[in-house]
Amino acid sequence: MANDNQQLDDMLSQEYEHGFITDIETDTIPPGLDETVIGMISHKKNEPEFMLQWRLQAYQHWLTMKEPHWAQHHFKPIDYQEISYYSAPKLDKDRPKSLDEVDPELLATYAKLGIPLKEQEMLAGVAVDAVFDSVSVATTFKGKLSELGIIFCSFSEAVQEHPELIKQYLGTVVPYTDNFFATLNSAVFTDGSFVYIPKGVRCPMELSTYFRINAASTGQFERTLIIADEGSYVSYLEGCTAPMRDENQLHAAVVELIALKDAQIKYSTVQNWYPGDKDGKGGIYNFVTKRGDCRGSNSKISWTQVETGSAITWKYPSVVLQGDNSVGEFYSVAVTNNMQQADTGTKMYHLGNNTSSTVISKGISAGRSQNSYRGLIKVAKNAKNARNYTQCDSLLMGDQCGAHTFPYIEAKNASSHLEHEATTSKISEDQLFYLLQRGLSSEDAISMVVNGFCKRVLKELPMEFAVEAQKLLGISLEGSIG
Amino acid sequence: MLEIKDLHVKVGEKPILKGINIQVQPGEIHAIMGPNGSGKSTLGNIISGRGGYEITDGTIYFEGKDIHEDLPEQRARNGIFLAFQYPVEIPGVTNIYMLKAALNAKRRAQGLDEIDAMDFITLVKDKLKALKMDESLLYRDINSGFSGGEKKRNEILQMAILEPKLAILDETDSGLDIDALRTVSDGINALRSPKRAMILVTHYQRLLDYIKPDFVHVLSKGKIIKSGDHSLALELEKSGYEWINDETTQSS
């Protein structure tokens, strides 16, 4: 036993694998937030007037709001004047047309993370829109996609090239008044991704964005908008990891998905931001608002997430089921270790008739971490025959961590069928010893048991992502059994 | 190959093994018999390095090397295999995935390349056939929903693939009907080799009808109280463990 503990402690103390800093000059606005700063951001991005006005409205509204603290989180109030709201690699004026023009050091960073862009292009057929700090530096496969009428570009580019789409859809799922962090994002967001899939088009490849936080003290405020027009389909991948930093970094992204009649959006995330050291020092605050709107009948939105990083995660990817017969899905694996705190789950709003939703949540807690599932299933008065199935499983590793489940159900229509199942279990010594006795290392043994526990969720991920996610689970939990 | 000297082991404050001496040479089959609670399973666990036990005295040498500080995975890769009395279920992990990972862990430790996927499938299928196991078991989650017989056969399958130097079979016969017992025994016999030693831990003699041991040791209250050849097992079957206890009490 004593032996086991020693060995596990050793592994537990393993440093964050992706903790390195890329040395690239950045063009950064000094810390602080007021209308001038917002004007500067908008100006730097050469935005049309309506965008600036929208940002300013959001800012005014934000000033009336308070930082929320209702979740199972403990953190010191954030000083929003200490944050620099804009940072971009200094390649702003002549943005690279192809990867060949990209700063080699940047490419090397991606290589260290195991995501060589070129190889990905060729092998996986993935179109990558890489976000480095706040500005997109490489967009690939554009030609092929544009033949189909698909727009896949950075948000800034979309504002320039397709302002009518931005005007029509921005803020229609997550309005700028939505919540403290989403409102802040609306005021100061710098970039993100934009996707439009035209009527009847099935996007032939997985669209993918790798995020990376780099410059010190730079809050990242990504804004992503995905519109699937009638009868279209798209699968979108989002993955991220960050270099080691001492200060807490705020990340407040907003993702809006819109599925029109008969359209389908599949959105997958692997999140591996720096979680802080063993004592919780440093690490990212991940306060994200993600929401999809099944606006048309027979539409479907599916969220899959593997959350292993960040010091604090506050995230509830949700689906508004407006259209009749629309379907919402949420598949989640949330892993917390050391001092990490995660409060994550989903909200399913059943508004149309015959809507259905599925929620599968797997929470794994280790170290002294706290892991909460928080979910809301809401059925409106006029929503006939709504169905929901929710399953929440928690796996505890060690005896100092916590797993919590907060399922909320509000059903106002008697024809609804709602099911909820929940389990909590401890990873068993027997399972681990069995695998060790077969010669597996304890990392591999833990990883195997945990991956088995999460299988139902992992199989929802696109193939290449699933492999990455499995590795991540192993890395995140190394040494967490005592 | 295996040399245990004066081994004392306790769990918490409770002494379980109180001075075990045993020597196993390559090619030999030793049967450890004894009533419930005599420490039979502890012996298997301690040789394979399971946590939760404390060695208070004595030594365990494997191939001339003191192994008491080796981690369970190191012992496994060096050729010690434990067939579990209660094979553990691992939901969501397929049998074949674990088998391959285990074989490759061993190969890596030996400085060999990982096995080619096609070679592996061929290897596994051959072993399956010998054990009369259905191929579908490979793609089911480890031991999940397996019948008692399937679980035990699965242990032997793992042994066949990992080809250990020393196999400890912990109550492999328990919970098997007569047909399954025969299949499992055939499987074990097929793995007998002049280079491989086996320790059969069992409560009943019936397994020994199928697998003839070279030595039989009777374990009672943490000590080996009698050793002999196969005839000892037959005697035990006839007269029960009380016979030994009585005899040793009288002679002491």
Side-chain angles (χ1 to χ4, degrees):
Chain A
M1 263 322 199
N3 237 352
D4 283 4
N5 277 334
Q6 180 53 45
Q7 177 197 355
L8 296 165
D9 283 349
D10 289 351
M11 279 188 298
L12 190 67
S13 59
Q14 178 164 332
E15 298 286 312
Y16 180 69
E17 218 186 27
H18 295 148
F20 46 81
I21 294 154
T22 305
D23 188 17
I24 291 180
E25 285 183 66
T26 55
D27 172 15
T28 303
I29 294 181
L33 180 58
D34 55 24
E35 292 197 346
T36 317
V37 166
I38 292 168
M40 276 164 79
I41 294 171
S42 189
H43 180 71
K44 268 185 180 291
K45 305 186 82 61
N46 193 27
E47 287 180 347
E49 182 63 19
F50 82 89
M51 280 301 310
L52 175 63
Q53 289 313 317
W54 196 73
R55 287 175 182 277
L56 291 173
Q57 281 176 327
Y59 177 67
Q60 285 305 326
H61 189 79
W62 183 72
L63 290 175
T64 68
M65 300 170 101
K66 275 193 185 138
E67 194 178 73
H69 284 269
W70 45 262
Q72 289 277 103
H73 290 152
H74 301 283
F75 64 95
K76 283 189 204 137
I78 298 163
D79 185 347
Y80 294 90
Q81 297 302 332
E82 282 290 303
I83 295 171
S84 165
Y85 288 87
Y86 186 86
S87 156
K90 240 190 177 169
L91 304 162
D92 221 322
K93 287 221 173 71
D94 43 357
R95 207 69 68 72
K97 308 279 182 298
S98 75
L99 286 183
D100 301 336
E101 296 175 30
V102 171
D103 188 330
E105 198 167 346
L106 183 53
L107 293 179
T109 304
Y110 288 125
K112 269 189 239 174
L113 291 170
I115 43 166
L117 288 188
K118 292 202 161 184
E119 250 177 59
Q120 266 193 356
E121 287 174 24
M122 289 186 296
L123 295 176
V126 174
V128 176
D129 177 273
V131 176
F132 185 83
D133 277 355
S134 315
V135 172
S136 305
V137 290
T139 303
T140 51
F141 282 104
K142 250 187 187 166
K144 197 171 168 189
L145 293 172
S146 65
E147 276 171 29
L148 294 164
I150 293 170
I151 304 167
F152 175 42
C153 60
S154 71
F155 200 95
S156 326
E157 203 178 329
V159 169
Q160 303 300 321
E161 307 285 326
H162 310 281
E164 72 295 343
L165 288 172
I166 299 288
K167 213 167 178 175
Q168 187 181 348
Y169 290 105
L170 177 66
T172 61
V173 187
V174 180
Y176 69 76
T177 52
D178 197 78
N179 69 71
F180 185 84
F181 296 111
T183 300
L184 177 62
N185 174 290
S186 302
V188 303
F189 73 90
T190 40
D191 217 332
S193 293
F194 178 83
V195 177
Y196 172 79
I197 313 290
K199 274 185 195 171
V201 171
R202 188 179 171 89
C203 185
M205 59 185 83
E206 317 274 356
L207 301 182
S208 162
T209 300
Y210 283 91
F211 292 87
R212 186 151 171 84
I213 300 178
N214 198 279
S217 296
T218 304
Q220 276 241 324
F221 301 93
E222 306 285 350
R223 186 101 197 176
T224 295
L225 177 58
I226 298 176
I227 303 143
D229 211 327
E230 292 181 10
S232 68
Y233 167 86
V234 63
S235 168
Y236 187 87
L237 316 181
E238 173 201 37
C240 21
T241 126
M244 187 179 293
R245 279 294 183 185
D246 234 359
E247 297 151 73
N248 288 305
Q249 288 180 301
L250 174 64
H251 185 94
V254 173
V255 176
E256 296 182 276
L257 310 182
I258 296 151
L260 301 181
K261 189 167 173 282
D262 300 319
Q264 275 191 41
I265 302 175
K266 185 173 168 60
Y267 192 105
S268 313
T269 306
V270 170
Q271 189 265 114
N272 180 29
W273 281 323
Y274 183 52
D277 66 14
K278 268 197 301 195
D279 302 314
K281 191 169 183 234
I284 305 294
Y285 289 179
N286 188 23
F287 300 150
V288 179
T289 304
K290 288 185 168 175
R291 196 175 302 150
D293 187 2
C294 283
R295 207 163 278 184
S297 55
N298 305 308
S299 57
K300 178 177 173 182
I301 289 179
S302 178
W303 297 102
T304 306
Q305 61 173 24
V306 174
E307 302 280 325
T308 60
S310 297
I312 303 179
T313 298
W314 180 93
K315 180 180 173 188
Y316 315 92
S318 306
V319 184
V320 182
L321 297 155
Q322 284 200 60
D324 289 346
N325 313 311
S326 60
V327 176
E329 293 174 337
F330 174 73
Y331 301 98
S332 170
V333 171
V335 179
T336 54
N337 196 355
N338 296 318
M339 294 296 285
Q340 278 178 283
Q341 310 170 49
D343 196 298
T344 184
T346 185
K347 292 183 252 180
M348 294 288 175
Y349 301 95
H350 293 260
L351 305 178
N353 292 325
N354 309 311
T355 54
S356 69
S357 60
T358 303
V359 176
I360 309 282
S361 164
K362 305 277 181 178
I364 301 159
S365 339
R368 288 173 287 158
S369 69
Q370 296 294 326
N371 199 333
S372 306
Y373 167 82
R374 190 183 300 273
L376 169 66
I377 309 300
K378 194 166 183 169
V379 181
K381 204 172 162 191
N382 298 324
K384 282 185 212 141
N385 302 319
R387 297 192 67 94
N388 165 264
Y389 174 74
T390 298
Q391 186 186 341
C392 296
D393 298 321
S394 306
L395 188 66
L396 297 168
M397 304 174 84
D399 50 14
Q400 291 179 291
C401 53
H404 316 273
T405 307
F406 304 97
Y408 301 88
I409 294 174
E410 293 174 25
K412 296 200 173 122
N413 189 305
S415 66
S416 30
H417 280 262
L418 312 175
E419 293 172 66
H420 180 91
E421 286 179 27
T423 65
T424 302
S425 52
K426 267 190 94 163
I427 193 162
S428 93
E429 293 283 343
D430 288 347
Q431 288 175 327
L432 291 180
F433 179 65
Y434 190 66
L435 295 175
L436 293 177
Q437 212 300 307
R438 297 303 179 251
L440 272 67
S441 64
S442 35
E443 296 98 315
D444 288 349
I446 291 169
S447 162
M448 206 176 260
V449 173
V450 167
N451 276 301
F453 173 76
C454 300
K455 193 182 202 174
R456 177 74 187 83
V457 172
L458 295 178
K459 72 175 196 183
E460 295 296 328
L461 288 173
M463 191 60 173
E464 62 271 32
F465 236 32
V467 173
E468 193 175 316
Q470 287 192 13
K471 275 194 217 151
L472 252 185
L473 289 181
I475 294 170
S476 312
L477 286 166
E478 271 168 19
S480 40
I481 290 287
Chain B
M1 174 181 278
L2 179 74
E3 193 177 359
I4 295 177
K5 272 190 189 159
D6 193 32
L7 186 69
H8 288 71
V9 171
K10 62 179 187 180
V11 173
E13 286 307 305
K14 195 178 171 215
I16 307 287
L17 299 181
K18 304 166 191 164
I20 299 285
N21 290 288
I22 189 168
Q23 274 205 33
V24 180
Q25 302 303 333
E28 292 178 354
I29 294 195
H30 290 242
I32 309 260
M33 301 184 69
N36 290 330
S38 57
K40 299 191 301 282
S41 290
T42 299
L43 189 60
N45 285 336
I46 204 91
I47 295 170
S48 53
R50 181 163 204 157
Y53 300 94
E54 191 190 342
I55 298 179
T56 51
D57 209 353
T59 53
I60 307 176
Y61 278 75
F62 178 66
E63 296 191 308
K65 185 176 163 279
D66 183 356
I67 58 165
H68 87 276
E69 287 203 326
D70 287 1
L71 297 170
E73 59 269 35
Q74 289 170 323
R75 301 184 200 203
R77 291 171 200 159
N78 289 337
I80 296 176
F81 180 90
L82 175 66
F84 285 62
Q85 182 179 2
Y86 303 108
V88 181
E89 298 187 5
I90 304 182
V93 182
T94 58
N95 225 1
I96 190 162
Y97 182 75
M98 190 268 277
L99 277 172
K100 194 171 174 206
L103 180 59
N104 280 330
K106 186 181 171 193
R107 289 178 65 95
R108 276 196 304 273
Q110 293 171 336
L112 298 171
D113 287 339
E114 296 197 354
I115 189 166
D116 173 83
M118 294 309 292
D119 293 349
F120 179 68
I121 290 286
T122 314
L123 172 74
V124 174
K125 285 188 178 167
D126 284 353
K127 307 286 185 191
L128 271 177
K129 217 182 264 171
L131 286 163
K132 297 188 182 133
M133 285 174 72
D134 195 87
E135 209 180 304
S136 67
L137 284 183
L138 289 177
Y139 302 99
R140 281 167 52 188
D141 293 352
I142 300 167
N143 296 321
S144 294
F146 283 31
S147 71
E150 284 171 336
K151 283 185 181 173
K152 295 300 173 78
R153 264 182 277 188
N154 200 27
E155 293 295 288
I156 306 307
L157 172 69
Q158 293 171 28
M159 173 175 156
I161 285 174
L162 294 173
E163 300 186 321
K165 294 173 191 155
L166 171 67
I168 303 154
L169 300 136
D170 190 4
E171 308 257 0
T172 297
D173 51 334
S174 67
L176 294 185
D177 63 30
I178 200 77
D179 292 329
L181 181 63
R182 186 169 296 131
T183 320
V184 167
S185 305
D186 288 349
I188 296 170
N189 281 323
L191 292 168
R192 286 184 83 150
S193 130
K195 288 183 187 160
R196 180 171 296 135
M198 295 192 198
I199 297 176
L200 309 176
V201 173
T202 180
H203 190 85
Y204 300 105
Q205 121 79 17
R206 64 170 191 165
L207 176 68
L208 309 182
D209 287 340
Y210 297 92
I211 309 166
K212 292 273 178 308
D214 301 301
F215 301 94
V216 174
H217 310 277
V218 180
L219 192 63
S220 176
K221 294 175 187 159
K223 282 185 171 177
I224 290 176
I225 51 170
K226 203 167 175 67
S227 296
D229 60 13
H230 187 203
S231 61
L232 177 58
L234 297 170
E235 194 63 38
L236 274 176
E237 177 83 351
K238 217 167 62 190
S239 318
Y241 288 109
E242 286 308 311
W243 160 69
I244 295 271
N245 281 330
D246 293 348
E247 193 182 65
T248 45
T249 336
Q250 279 161 22
S251 61
S252 61

